Amino acid sequence: MQRAGLAGLGSVAVLWLLALASLLGLWSGRIVEPGAVRPGLPQERPDSGLGLDRGAAARAPVATSRLLRPSSQAAQKTFRALLTLPGQSTEPQEGPDESGQEPPPPPPAPAHPRREKQGALGGAEPLPASPVRGGIFWSRALEAQVPPGFSAEEAASWLRAARQTRVVSLERGGCGRSSNRLARLSDGSRACVRYGINPEQIQGEALSYYLAGLLGMQERLPPLALSRVEARGGQWAPVRDEVRGSHWAEGAVVSLAQWVDNLTDVVAPAPWRAEAAAGRRLQPLAAGELRGLSQAQLVELVQWSDLILFDYLTANFDRLVSNLFSLQWDPRVMHRATSNLHRAPNGGLVFLDNEAGLVHGYRLLAMWDKYNEPLLRSVCVFREATAQRVRELHRLRNAASELLRLYRTREPLAEQLGFLSDQQAQLLQDRVDLVHKHILHCKAKAASL
């Protein structure tokens, strides 16, 4: 019995050894299926939670061959590769999973992808049409959004009335310098009456108004007429006492500009406000700088591009230039209202009080051009109509003669007030030529991008 028991135990031990050897043989001889991520990686069991069965495992090579990274990256992508085996969704994920690893490569992009941008809350929204065309011109669609100014018909009607109706009252305040007055006319309309400390100021304002007409931007300036002050009779008779009290010289030529109600202040747009306030050199406002701006901001920039060209041509130092000049004392001045620039109730800009332009401005070029020239260079997007007017005045070299023709045709007192000297006429043409050259420079720069 003892031997039989020992023999039985020996048989059991032999059977256990054989079974263990068989298991070891099976393990060492296990074949890795094609398409597995790396040699030696055990296949997942059906109850592993990945939802694989034997049929799915057999189909694995076909499903993974287009999703797995090259073999050199396979070890780093094992987890993502397993997640994309059959039994799971084979659609590429939109971002890294919880492990922080990258998703498999997305499918090829369509031939004509839809243009999108991230909205304010992160959602995709269609990109608006480009605000610039031809590299340097505001788009026609954007220009069509600019609020209208003073129409030619409205201006002509007001000018007729201003020259024919009587002045029934003069009031102090509301029109700038203490020598100026707010006039009420007999038809009920009002006008700012400007009396120049020097006659060249009234001359400069009148000529600036008609130069704006040559450039196609006169609608941004209030209609302006000249009048000769004669307290003894005519237009000024009802206010003879007020005229004497104002200390105006008898027979002086003054300007009457249409009064506009409900104007509000205007602060320089960010492209100039931020650069100047930080003490940096003004950078060109080009097409590439307009991304992210709202339509309202772009519409205002259309008007500012005209304003800066206009102020350079007239050498007007009493608007944005005066703000730049004041930076040496007031670092916040660019965040304050811009001198002689206001916004009408419809949103359009109004270029007021241009008496510093042309005659007076040309006399002080040495002092103010160091501010006017950088402002001109800071604009590289223009209204095409403005650029065309400048090109024609440059090509024909007739800026002064065209201005004189328009001035004499439209203003009855043009001869009495006088015109530019020969030197000033040449300065105007030189500045037109420089603006044209600057526009060509912007065009060449845009073409090279």
Side-chain angles (χ1 to χ4, degrees):
M1 289 291 297
Q2 190 173 6
R3 283 190 197 141
L6 291 173
L9 289 173
S11 299
V12 170
V14 169
L15 289 172
W16 276 105
L17 287 173
L18 289 173
L20 181 60
S22 299
L23 287 172
L24 289 173
L26 287 171
W27 181 267
S28 61
R30 184 175 182 269
I31 300 174
V32 178
E33 293 184 10
V37 175
R38 57 182 178 182
L41 182 67
Q43 295 299 306
E44 298 290 343
R45 295 170 56 185
D47 61 351
S48 65
L50 294 177
L52 297 175
D53 58 15
R54 293 185 184 277
R59 292 190 299 273
V62 176
T64 60
S65 62
R66 66 181 177 88
L67 292 173
L68 293 181
R69 303 282 182 174
S71 58
S72 62
Q73 300 180 18
Q76 300 176 13
K77 305 300 177 186
T78 299
F79 184 66
R80 178 58 59 189
L82 285 174
L83 291 180
T84 57
L85 287 174
Q88 299 293 323
S89 171
T90 59
E91 293 181 3
Q93 303 298 312
E94 291 300 324
D97 67 349
E98 293 81 1
S99 72
Q101 291 179 285
E102 297 178 5
H112 301 286
R114 186 180 66 175
R115 298 171 66 237
E116 293 183 340
K117 70 173 181 179
Q118 289 299 111
L121 299 179
E125 61 182 33
L127 283 171
S130 172
V132 176
R133 60 190 182 85
I136 63 168
F137 299 128
W138 298 112
S139 70
R140 292 189 178 94
L142 184 60
E143 284 196 37
Q145 300 302 314
V146 175
F150 303 91
S151 69
E153 295 77 12
E154 176 189 358
S157 175
W158 188 89
L159 290 172
R160 281 194 301 270
R163 292 181 177 122
Q164 296 170 3
T165 57
R166 291 192 167 196
V167 179
V168 297
S169 70
L170 290 176
E171 303 169 12
R172 292 178 180 271
C175 291
R177 286 192 310 271
S178 61
S179 61
N180 298 340
R181 295 291 186 270
L182 175 60
R184 186 176 298 276
L185 306 182
S186 57
D187 65 352
S189 64
R190 290 182 290 175
C192 270
V193 183
R194 288 189 170 84
Y195 176 85
I197 298 173
N198 188 311
E200 69 180 19
Q201 293 173 310
I202 304 303
Q203 189 183 39
E205 178 157 37
L207 292 176
S208 293
Y209 179 68
Y210 288 103
L211 179 62
L214 276 185
L215 296 170
M217 58 181 78
Q218 197 172 51
E219 67 169 329
R220 304 258 70 94
L221 283 68
L224 181 136
L226 298 179
S227 178
R228 181 182 173 89
V229 178
E230 295 176 328
R232 299 174 186 176
Q235 186 175 28
W236 298 89
V239 291
R240 63 171 62 92
D241 292 338
E242 290 95 325
V243 169
R244 292 190 182 106
S246 68
H247 304 294
W248 292 351
E250 180 75 17
V253 176
V254 296
S255 67
L256 280 72
Q258 181 178 348
W259 172 267
V260 185
D261 288 311
N262 302 317
L263 294 178
T264 54
D265 291 337
V266 177
V267 176
W272 294 283
R273 184 175 67 242
E275 295 291 327
R280 296 190 292 266
R281 179 180 177 182
L282 295 176
Q283 299 300 312
L285 176 67
E289 310 299 319
L290 304 176
R291 286 187 287 269
L293 297 183
S294 68
Q295 178 170 287
Q297 290 173 311
L298 292 169
V299 165
E300 184 153 319
L301 287 177
V302 173
Q303 300 169 80
W304 272 86
S305 68
D306 264 359
L307 174 66
I308 288 178
L309 261 64
F310 179 59
D311 280 356
Y312 177 79
L313 289 172
T314 61
N316 191 333
F317 55 84
D318 199 15
R319 206 166 351 248
L320 189 57
V321 163
S322 68
N323 286 41
L324 293 174
F325 177 73
S326 298
L327 277 171
Q328 56 190 310
W329 302 293
D330 182 2
R332 297 280 302 168
V333 71
M334 295 301 289
H335 295 266
R336 309 188 202 286
T338 303
S339 302
N340 299 317
L341 181 67
H342 289 79
R343 183 176 287 106
N346 69 355
L349 298 186
V350 182
F351 308 170
L352 287 174
D353 192 1
N354 298 285
E355 62 185 21
L358 291 170
V359 187
H360 194 46
Y362 284 2
R363 186 163 55 82
L364 300 174
L365 284 181
M367 180 176 182
W368 297 109
D369 255 7
K370 60 184 176 183
Y371 301 99
N372 259 319
E373 288 181 0
L375 274 175
L376 173 64
R377 290 194 298 268
S378 74
V379 177
C380 253
V381 188
F382 316 91
R383 283 201 314 125
E384 187 172 17
T386 303
Q388 288 175 343
R389 300 286 184 102
V390 170
R391 182 174 66 244
E392 283 302 295
L393 293 174
H394 163 76
R395 184 178 68 85
L396 299 174
R397 303 196 60 77
N398 64 347
S401 61
E402 280 296 291
L403 176 58
L404 178 60
R405 179 192 60 78
L406 186 62
Y407 179 45
R408 286 179 172 173
T409 302
R410 304 285 177 83
E411 177 50 62
L413 294 180
E415 292 288 352
Q416 184 171 341
L417 192 59
F419 188 64
L420 301 174
S421 67
D422 290 344
Q423 182 182 11
Q424 292 164 343
Q426 185 59 52
L427 282 171
L428 174 60
Q429 186 64 53
D430 291 345
R431 293 174 91 79
V432 166
D433 295 344
L434 195 146
V435 169
H436 176 66
K437 181 179 178 180
H438 172 65
I439 293 172
L440 292 180
H441 169 76
C442 292
K443 187 174 183 179
K445 186 174 181 181
S448 67
L449 297 178

